[in-house]
Amino acid sequence: MPISRRQLAVSLLAADHIADRQAIAAFVADLATQPAPNPFAQTSAGAVRQIWRQRAIEFQSFNVEAVGLACLFTTLSGMGVDEALVQEILRAGSHTANVFHHGDGCWIVGAVLYGKSGVALPTVSLPRSLRGVLSSRSRARRPGGQLDLFARIGS
């Protein structure tokens, strides 16, 4: 894997367009999660869209729990089919995460966490080191009070 699990988890936490990013990042950061063999790391948005549409149908048919699919499809719909992507595959037990980025691991296009048929998704909490990243990001983004330009007029 060209980037560390920690960097991947931090990048996932920064991916505001992924609704379940905290759950996926916690899975990626967990010590039990390890990179899996990945013969097709280099891919394209069109290939990812095609493969995951089929997997979504299979997941529904075989009662496979997954998070991140809808967000992945939304992001892919705005991309050209030839746009290059890199796929990271990570596994722990009966669960797998597929994470897609542009090659630097910084901007995450999408991620899917899923298990085997009939197996619930893991409930893994974020490590303390990553919780700090999340809380500092949320403090930095917290909007301040709105400036009232007319408050002093007529005083």
Side-chain angles (χ1 to χ4, degrees):
M1 186 163 81
I3 61 173
S4 71
R5 285 186 353 230
R6 178 172 167 57
Q7 175 59 46
L8 204 56
V10 169
S11 295
L12 277 161
L13 288 174
D16 293 337
H17 62 284
I18 302 174
D20 296 301
R21 66 187 176 275
Q22 289 184 17
I24 301 169
F27 176 79
V28 168
D30 189 69
L31 292 175
T33 303
Q34 295 298 316
N38 188 1
F40 303 107
Q42 303 297 321
T43 187
S44 68
V48 171
R49 190 178 309 145
Q50 179 71 24
I51 290 166
W52 284 93
R53 279 187 183 150
Q54 181 63 37
R55 283 192 178 173
I57 293 167
E58 291 171 0
F59 286 178
Q60 190 173 26
S61 297
F62 295 112
N63 192 30
V64 172
E65 283 189 40
V67 294
L69 270 171
C71 298
L72 176 64
F73 290 141
T74 299
T75 304
L76 289 172
S77 69
M79 298 174 71
V81 295
D82 292 333
E83 199 163 335
L85 295 176
V86 174
Q87 173 180 225
E88 308 286 347
I89 302 174
L90 302 109
R91 288 200 177 107
S94 60
H95 297 94
T96 303
N98 293 66
V99 182
F100 301 95
H101 57 86
H102 285 289
D104 61 359
C106 292
W107 189 75
I108 304 296
V109 171
V112 180
L113 172 62
Y114 61 97
K116 294 191 178 197
S117 179
V119 176
L121 290 175
T123 52
V124 182
S125 60
L126 281 172
R128 286 184 188 177
S129 61
L130 290 181
R131 277 186 242 143
V133 170
L134 183 62
S135 63
S136 66
R137 282 183 43 79
S138 61
R139 277 194 300 272
R141 288 191 172 181
R142 196 173 297 149
Q146 183 173 351
L147 178 61
D148 187 354
L149 296 176
F150 301 103
R152 299 229 179 232
I153 296 177
S155 301

